[in-house]
Amino acid sequence: MTRERHFVLAAGGTGGHMVPAAALAAELARRGHRVALVSDERGVRFPGLFEGVQTHVLPAGRLTGGPIGWIKAGRNILAGRAMARELYRTFKPEAVIGFGGYPALPALLAAFKAGIPTAIHEQNAVLGRVNRLVARKVDAVATSYAEVDRLDAKYADKVRLVGNPVREAVLALRDRPYPVIEEDGIFRVLVTGGSQGASVLSKVVPDGLSMLPVAFRRRLQVTHQARIEDIDNARAKYAELSIAAELATYLPDMPEQLAWAHLVIARAGASTIAELTAAGRPAILVPLPSATDDHQTANAEEITQAGGARTIRQDQFTPVELAKQMQKLGLDPVALTNAAARARDCGRPDAARDLADLVETLGGPVRASEIGVPLPTGADGKPAYA
């Protein structure tokens, strides 16, 4: 076992940031290290992710709202930076790792000021705002995709492709076969909008499933994660259409839901894509059009091009289009099984290990050859950044 070292992980309070941070925390703890988390109120209360981990809430401001908003954000960032420096004085981290989101910013600024080595992890196929702000100063940039938009090629020497870490329970699904699709047997559909839910799925999916051939529709067993304001209407709609469905605002057993799902209908958030590719589950993806820099559309490109998913733009996501895509996939078990295998081929199951390897190198020269993580390049062999 390596000697105990201290690391601080800083992440915004959404699932897309918190899940990979939790996976890294678990891997570092297995290696005998101590970890502290800094986040916002949402992040430190995320269910089941950071049990037993020292947590801290730092004030952080969103750089929006014009001059008045910027002034308020600046004050919060400075206050958060001061609190982070006090934490570093007592906890003495050997490195600080940011996972994006505004709460990560003051923690990284404090690390720069204190001369502590830093790294950032980008979950999406487009470099996020906070990560763009700090990319120049951090010691390492870990990516989840071989091609990352908004990542300047001049940072190529410190970029490492590691993938997006997922929970152990999801990663374990790689060792379980894709569920057998029996003729006239149950066909299980998982509908999820990610940690924030998605109203469009609640509005479109029930009507889309109702347009399937009667014999197919009767085989359906749906688990649907819905927003609290949508769940009653969606439940009533499924009942009206005589489609077997269970609905919840939160699915604490997501790994088990993925294990039995034949098809997933979902947004294209970073954690969703990482879990689909880790488990090997085919999907119909509806990227969130308002996502910053349209990063969900970029996230969906790799798995879609590989044949593991079909992507439908939200303005084209109608009951008719959903039913058409469902029939193309669901009525051909061979095609669906092949799509599951192609989704699995896109997975990077060693992401937590490779990210932990990278983190452990901080404080000295970081070279890809030392940690076995390939540099992402384009077809021409050059860094694949925009």
Side-chain angles (χ1 to χ4, degrees):
M1 180 179 291
T2 58
R3 68 178 177 87
E4 180 186 271
R5 300 164 67 185
H6 293 188
F7 297 97
V8 168
L9 311 187
T14 64
H17 299 307
M18 303 306 295
V19 169
L24 176 61
E27 177 64 20
L28 291 173
R30 273 194 297 273
R31 299 184 183 198
H33 304 311
R34 287 187 60 194
V35 176
L37 168 74
V38 296
S39 186
D40 55 18
E41 292 284 357
R42 297 174 302 165
V44 298
R45 295 175 182 170
F46 228 87
L49 289 184
F50 289 93
E51 295 177 1
V53 174
Q54 179 179 332
T55 59
H56 303 268
V57 174
L58 297 186
R62 297 178 62 87
L63 301 176
T64 58
I68 294 178
W70 299 338
I71 292 171
K72 183 178 179 181
R75 289 173 178 167
N76 285 334
I77 290 169
L78 289 175
R81 186 182 70 170
M83 291 174 65
R85 291 195 68 184
E86 180 61 21
L87 168 64
Y88 302 162
R89 187 184 65 80
T90 57
F91 189 69
K92 301 187 184 306
E94 294 200 19
V96 176
I97 301 89
F99 285 83
Y102 285 104
L105 183 56
L108 289 166
L109 293 177
F112 298 153
K113 187 73 173 177
I116 300 170
T118 55
I120 53 175
H121 178 268
E122 179 55 59
Q123 301 87 51
N124 295 296
V126 181
L127 198 67
R129 289 178 178 172
V130 169
N131 282 348
R132 289 203 298 269
L133 285 172
V134 300
R136 179 179 63 86
K137 296 196 67 174
V138 297
D139 298 290
V141 178
T143 69
S144 301
Y145 294 89
E147 298 188 19
V148 181
D149 291 340
R150 307 295 293 271
L151 177 54
D152 200 304
K154 66 187 178 184
Y155 303 137
D157 287 346
K158 59 184 177 182
V159 174
R160 306 292 178 264
L161 172 62
V162 300
N164 194 8
V166 299
R167 292 167 287 181
E168 284 188 17
V170 174
L171 193 58
L173 299 181
R174 290 183 75 80
D175 298 326
R176 295 172 61 172
Y178 178 70
V180 175
I181 304 174
E182 299 179 355
E183 187 175 354
D184 297 329
I186 292 174
F187 188 93
R188 300 181 180 92
V189 179
L190 172 62
V191 183
T192 174
S195 62
Q196 305 301 309
S199 292
V200 68
L201 299 184
S202 296
K203 293 175 182 176
V204 173
V205 171
D207 286 331
L209 298 184
S210 75
M211 295 180 178
L212 296 172
V214 174
F216 187 18
R217 188 169 71 242
R218 287 174 177 168
R219 296 169 54 201
L220 296 177
Q221 186 176 88
V222 180
T223 297
H224 188 136
Q225 179 236 340
R227 296 172 69 95
I228 191 169
E229 61 266 31
D230 301 323
I231 193 168
D232 289 339
N233 287 338
R235 183 180 286 115
K237 191 68 174 179
Y238 280 118
E240 176 189 334
L241 298 169
S242 299
I243 297 174
E246 295 183 1
L247 291 90
T249 57
Y250 177 69
L251 299 175
D253 59 341
M254 181 61 77
E256 192 58 30
Q257 299 290 347
L258 275 173
W260 60 249
H262 292 112
L263 179 68
V264 180
I265 302 173
R267 286 296 197 196
S271 289
T272 296
I273 299 295
E275 293 184 346
L276 290 172
T277 57
R281 292 297 180 269
I284 293 174
L285 300 173
V286 187
L288 176 67
S290 61
T292 305
D293 299 316
D294 197 22
H295 66 253
Q296 288 203 4
T297 297
N299 290 348
E301 287 181 3
E302 182 180 45
I303 187 174
T304 301
Q305 291 175 2
R310 294 169 183 261
T311 297
I312 306 174
R313 286 177 37 175
Q314 183 163 310
D315 59 3
Q316 297 173 354
F317 185 60
T318 63
V320 171
E321 181 63 21
L322 174 61
K324 181 172 70 175
Q325 297 298 336
M326 280 282 296
Q327 288 185 73
K328 287 180 179 179
L329 285 169
L331 294 178
D332 186 349
V334 174
L336 199 59
T337 301
N338 288 339
R342 290 167 182 164
R344 188 179 186 279
D345 288 343
C346 293
R348 294 185 173 87
D350 297 326
R353 182 202 69 187
D354 289 344
L355 182 55
D357 286 348
L358 177 60
V359 165
E360 285 185 328
T361 67
L362 294 176
V366 179
R367 299 187 183 280
S369 60
E370 296 175 356
I371 57 175
V373 180
L375 289 173
T377 59
D380 58 359
K382 297 179 180 179
Y385 316 130

